[in-house]
Amino acid sequence: MSTMAERDRRLRDAQTLRAQQRLPDALHALSQLEALYPRFSRLYQERGHCQIQLGNAPAAIDALRQAVALNATLPASWDMLAQLYRLRGDKTQAEAAERHLETLRQLPPEIVVANSLYADGDLEPAEEVLRAYLEQADGNVGALRLLARICFERGASAEAEALLAQVLELAPDYHAARFDYGMVLLHLQKPMAARQEALHLLRIEPDNRDYLKHYAAASVALGDHEPVIDLYARLLATTPAVGAEAADLRLWRANALKVTGRQAEAIADYQASLVARPDNGVAWFSLANLKTYRFSEADMARLRAAEARPDTQAMDRIYLNFALGKAYEDRGDYAASWAHYERGNALRRTLSRWRPEVAEACAQRLRTVFTAEVFGARAGFGVDDADPIFIIGLPRSGSTLIEQILASHPQVEGTQELTEISRYVAERCGRDPECGLPLEPEALLRLSKTEAQALGARYLSETRTYRRLGRPVFLDKMPNNIWHIGLIQLILPRAKIIEVRREPMACGFSNLKQLFGTTNQEFAYAAQDIGRYYRTCLELMRHWDTVLPGRVLRVSYEDLVEDLEGGVRRLLDYCGLPFDAACLRFHETQRSIRTPSSEQVRQPLSRAGLTQWQAYAPWLGDLRAALGDAVNRYRE
């Protein structure tokens, strides 16, 4: 039985008990239902019915208020509230409830039903009701907006975008729909368009906090971190110092400060976030993720206590374990450190839908689709432009170091991990819902010469947003573009591609101790998955090297550590750039850096990363086994 079916069955059982006048049993059944589904509005409505029959008006009002707080489209709850308030002589509250009820009565019944279902998470039946209704009333903007929200929540973001665009054509002043539209655009990795929608709304309501937060999120996605520092400070000026909102604002401001290199101020805001919400796992982890922060004994006690509490939220517990792993690592207690890294990874893996066999099948399909003959037949495709330099490789392989070195050159602009290429692939090939990899890579072979040129021009146009220094060359440091070299070759044949490769055990361990974003690098939370992913990428790169010989420059992280100047000269020669000593002083370059290595690349190059994993060797047997012969063959 599905989760929703089980929930509804339990509600029907409680309703049957009430009909049988077994009210204590009905209330007990509702308490059990609440423990499982605390945000199910109709259970509170049913509790209100029970309390009315028991003659307990205050308890009935409390239950019904909970119901309408979760779901404002419950006519029966508003009706009962109006009557109960009248009986108590509370005319103001009674009239307010009656106004809500009257508003619902004026709406088409289908809209009320769909809204109610949506509020309780019943997306499929809500969608069915709306689509049937829209066959007769296709211009109802409220129904279209609700359908868009449902589409978004079930993962059909492109359809949500189209529906909201339609709503705004019909009703340009529908501000709630415009706000939804901006959020969908941001989710679809269209930050410039998302920020334009936020600006449109802010011209109407300059102090609207939701609009300001949306503007800030879009700015961060565009790499504009400096302006949001003051914006978040402005919001904090009118926010209570303690509570979830203050904790979030302090965290977001700290992140912007960190990215821009203002570490001391970032630490102060992370700590303020913990004052606002002491068990804020992401703030604890963010301190650890600075790589240079050291937890005090008092910090350690608070971390351990928060992690041990049974009511700690799942994601907070994950963040806390990774923070404790780093804290014990800094103390040289590697057994305790590994215990927390292992626990954090195990918990995070339960939230992941990564399937290594999907990645392996995708790599095999790419090798079948993109042959030397395919590229030979498409010579002359794409845009004749050498501006982009792509940096690819596994996460934690040293790609941020390469980016920082090259961005220190006066002719090169560092941007960030750009998502345009993966978005184009998803548009053409579809995206696997579990691993995010292309479903039908052969669709790229259907690109005509004109389409390939247009797509290359689109990339150059859309990425111009991130280029603010006017330098002739720019960096796209998205490690996952290792999967998309075929498309890059078709649309940008003169772009440079640099693959950074790191010794497998060091790279694998570095991934195991790193907690990535909530939807990024899903393979990185189990030794078996990491080992298989490393081997898959190794085989994929061998294929690209075979069908596109000399196309990709491979850089060994270890070689760069041993001979920085030699490595820098090799990089610059490949990129067609003159040698510049600033690249050797990369740690002095002031720029925004968003990756977990941001503070490390602001320090001189160290050999510590070469052997760090060896302290954990007793616990890395599964990683070594999963890597197999890649441990010895990775330099081939």
Side-chain angles (χ1 to χ4, degrees):
M1 185 180 292
S2 71
T3 300
M4 295 301 184
E6 170 64 13
R7 181 202 66 184
D8 293 344
R9 182 194 65 77
R10 287 174 174 268
L11 178 62
R12 288 194 299 273
D13 289 347
Q15 290 169 332
T16 299
L17 290 168
R18 173 169 63 86
Q20 296 169 348
Q21 295 299 309
R22 295 168 58 187
L23 298 174
D25 291 338
L27 289 171
H28 178 69
L30 291 169
S31 294
Q32 292 180 318
L33 181 57
E34 182 182 7
L36 295 170
Y37 308 99
R39 297 192 58 79
F40 182 30
S41 68
R42 281 174 285 162
L43 85 85
Y44 300 101
Q45 178 172 273
E46 179 59 25
R47 184 176 285 162
H49 278 295
C50 292
Q51 295 295 353
I52 287 172
Q53 288 189 222
L54 286 169
N56 189 341
I61 289 173
D62 285 346
L64 294 167
R65 286 177 64 88
Q66 283 181 282
V68 296
L70 291 167
N71 183 352
T73 51
L74 290 173
S77 288
W78 287 117
D79 191 16
M80 287 186 283
L81 278 170
Q83 294 181 52
L84 288 166
Y85 284 131
R86 288 286 181 197
L87 289 171
R88 292 179 61 179
D90 192 337
K91 181 180 177 182
T92 301
Q93 293 281 17
E95 289 178 348
E98 287 164 354
R99 283 195 298 273
H100 280 288
L101 182 60
E102 185 58 29
T103 298
L104 294 178
R105 285 172 174 164
Q106 291 175 7
L107 292 172
E110 296 90 344
I111 300 296
V112 175
V113 169
N115 266 290
S116 186
L117 289 166
Y118 171 73
D120 279 332
D122 296 321
L123 301 185
E124 187 174 337
E127 183 174 352
E128 290 175 1
V129 170
L130 283 171
R131 291 196 185 276
Y133 173 70
L134 284 166
E135 288 181 5
Q136 284 78 43
D138 61 354
N140 186 299
V141 292
L144 288 167
R145 179 198 174 208
L146 181 56
L147 181 58
R149 300 185 80 176
I150 291 169
C151 289
F152 180 72
E153 289 198 22
R154 64 172 175 79
S157 301
E159 185 176 1
E161 178 188 15
L163 286 166
L164 289 166
Q166 181 183 350
V167 169
L168 292 174
E169 282 185 17
L170 296 168
D173 294 330
Y174 193 173
H175 302 324
R178 189 172 296 279
F179 180 75
D180 288 352
Y181 186 50
M183 297 300 287
V184 171
L185 289 170
L186 191 56
H187 176 78
L188 287 170
Q189 300 170 343
K190 300 178 180 180
M192 178 56 77
R195 187 162 71 174
Q196 288 170 348
E197 298 302 329
L199 285 169
H200 180 102
L201 291 167
L202 285 168
R203 282 192 288 271
I204 299 160
E205 291 185 65
D207 296 321
N208 184 297
R209 296 177 73 84
D210 288 334
Y211 300 166
L212 288 166
K213 290 176 186 176
H214 175 55
Y215 174 84
S219 295
V220 166
L222 284 165
D224 282 345
H225 300 277
E226 290 285 357
V228 306
I229 294 171
D230 291 339
L231 190 154
Y232 287 138
R234 171 185 165 189
L235 290 169
L236 281 162
T238 54
T239 304
V242 176
E245 185 179 15
D248 286 342
L249 288 170
R250 287 289 182 188
L251 176 72
W252 297 336
R253 186 170 187 269
N255 289 341
L257 289 163
K258 171 196 169 183
V259 167
T260 54
R262 295 160 63 177
Q263 188 183 100
E265 294 170 86
I267 289 171
D269 263 348
Y270 285 135
Q271 292 172 332
S273 180
L274 290 168
V275 170
R277 186 164 83 85
D279 61 349
N280 189 0
V282 66
W284 284 113
F285 171 74
S286 296
L287 285 168
N289 206 33
L290 289 170
K291 312 299 185 187
T292 56
Y293 183 82
R294 297 295 177 263
F295 290 108
S296 67
E297 288 300 328
D299 289 334
M300 294 289 288
R302 292 174 64 194
L303 274 165
R304 287 191 294 265
E307 198 281 327
R309 279 201 303 273
D311 60 342
T312 295
Q313 295 296 310
M315 205 58 220
D316 281 324
R317 193 179 307 282
I318 291 167
Y319 282 120
L320 290 164
N321 272 288
F322 276 92
L324 281 163
K326 181 64 168 66
Y328 280 114
E329 180 181 349
D330 291 339
R331 284 166 164 71
D333 188 343
Y334 300 116
S337 171
W338 177 251
H340 285 289
Y341 282 141
E342 186 174 44
R343 177 165 164 76
N345 275 299
L347 290 169
R348 179 62 181 83
R349 185 64 178 89
T350 65
L351 305 179
S352 171
R353 297 190 298 169
W354 179 262
R355 293 169 56 203
E357 63 273 17
V358 170
E360 290 162 354
C362 179
Q364 177 56 47
R365 202 162 180 179
L366 288 169
R367 292 195 293 269
T368 301
V369 169
F370 288 106
T371 63
E373 291 74 20
V374 160
F375 290 120
R378 288 161 178 77
F381 272 40
V383 176
D384 186 27
D385 193 304
D387 283 6
I389 300 174
F390 292 91
I391 303 173
I392 63 171
L394 269 73
R396 310 299 296 154
S397 62
S399 56
T400 303
L401 173 62
I402 301 299
E403 178 191 40
Q404 183 74 349
I405 288 170
L406 290 174
S408 301
H409 195 284
Q411 295 183 35
V412 181
E413 179 165 3
T415 56
Q416 56 192 58
E417 294 185 350
L418 305 180
T419 58
E420 277 70 15
I421 292 293
S422 61
R423 178 151 49 86
Y424 303 161
V425 171
E427 289 172 4
R428 295 276 173 169
C429 307
R431 191 195 302 270
D432 178 83
E434 294 170 326
C435 300
L437 297 173
L439 284 172
E440 190 191 358
E442 54 267 29
L444 296 177
L445 302 189
R446 296 195 286 270
L447 281 170
S448 68
K449 185 173 183 179
T450 301
E451 288 172 325
Q453 186 174 25
L455 199 54
R458 177 183 167 191
Y459 173 84
L460 294 170
S461 174
E462 292 186 349
T463 55
R464 196 163 299 282
T465 299
Y466 307 96
R467 302 174 65 180
R468 300 185 176 90
L469 302 180
R471 296 180 178 179
V473 177
F474 73 100
L475 305 173
D476 181 339
K477 191 200 82 70
M478 172 54 76
N480 297 344
N481 281 335
I482 194 171
W483 295 91
H484 309 315
I485 289 176
L487 178 64
I488 293 171
Q489 174 64 23
L490 291 178
I491 68 173
L492 296 160
R494 292 187 59 211
K496 301 295 190 294
I497 306 175
I498 300 167
E499 184 216 353
V500 191
R501 193 172 293 182
R502 187 177 179 187
E503 191 278 321
M505 289 298 292
C507 187
F509 169 67
S510 191
N511 275 277
L512 281 171
K513 58 177 273 187
Q514 181 64 52
L515 180 60
F516 296 94
T518 53
T519 59
N520 294 337
Q521 316 305 354
E522 293 286 290
F523 68 88
Y525 301 109
Q528 179 74 12
D529 291 345
I530 292 172
R532 288 176 70 172
Y533 189 80
Y534 192 106
R535 286 192 286 111
T536 298
C537 290
L538 207 61
E539 292 302 318
L540 186 57
M541 283 310 307
R542 288 194 182 108
H543 173 73
W544 297 130
D545 289 342
T546 299
V547 299
L548 294 168
R551 182 72 177 84
V552 179
L553 175 71
R554 179 161 303 113
V555 176
S556 161
Y557 173 78
E558 290 76 21
D559 288 351
L560 197 63
V561 171
E562 296 293 351
D563 179 12
L564 177 60
E565 183 171 344
V568 167
R569 289 185 180 277
R570 183 167 172 259
L571 275 169
L572 296 179
D573 285 346
Y574 169 76
C575 294
L577 296 166
F579 178 77
D580 194 293
C583 295
L584 302 177
R585 303 189 302 275
F586 62 87
H587 53 282
E588 298 175 2
T589 300
Q590 298 298 310
R591 53 181 290 267
S592 295
I593 309 171
R594 298 179 62 174
T595 68
S597 303
S598 61
E599 300 312 305
Q600 291 167 302
V601 299
R602 290 184 173 118
Q603 309 294 325
L605 198 55
S606 167
R607 292 177 52 83
L610 301 180
T611 58
Q612 188 182 54
W613 70 270
Q614 293 175 5
Y616 293 83
W619 304 284
L620 296 179
D622 288 346
L623 175 61
R624 182 177 289 278
L627 285 164
D629 63 358
V631 172
N632 300 314
R633 295 182 58 207
Y634 75 98
R635 280 189 174 273
E636 294 178 4

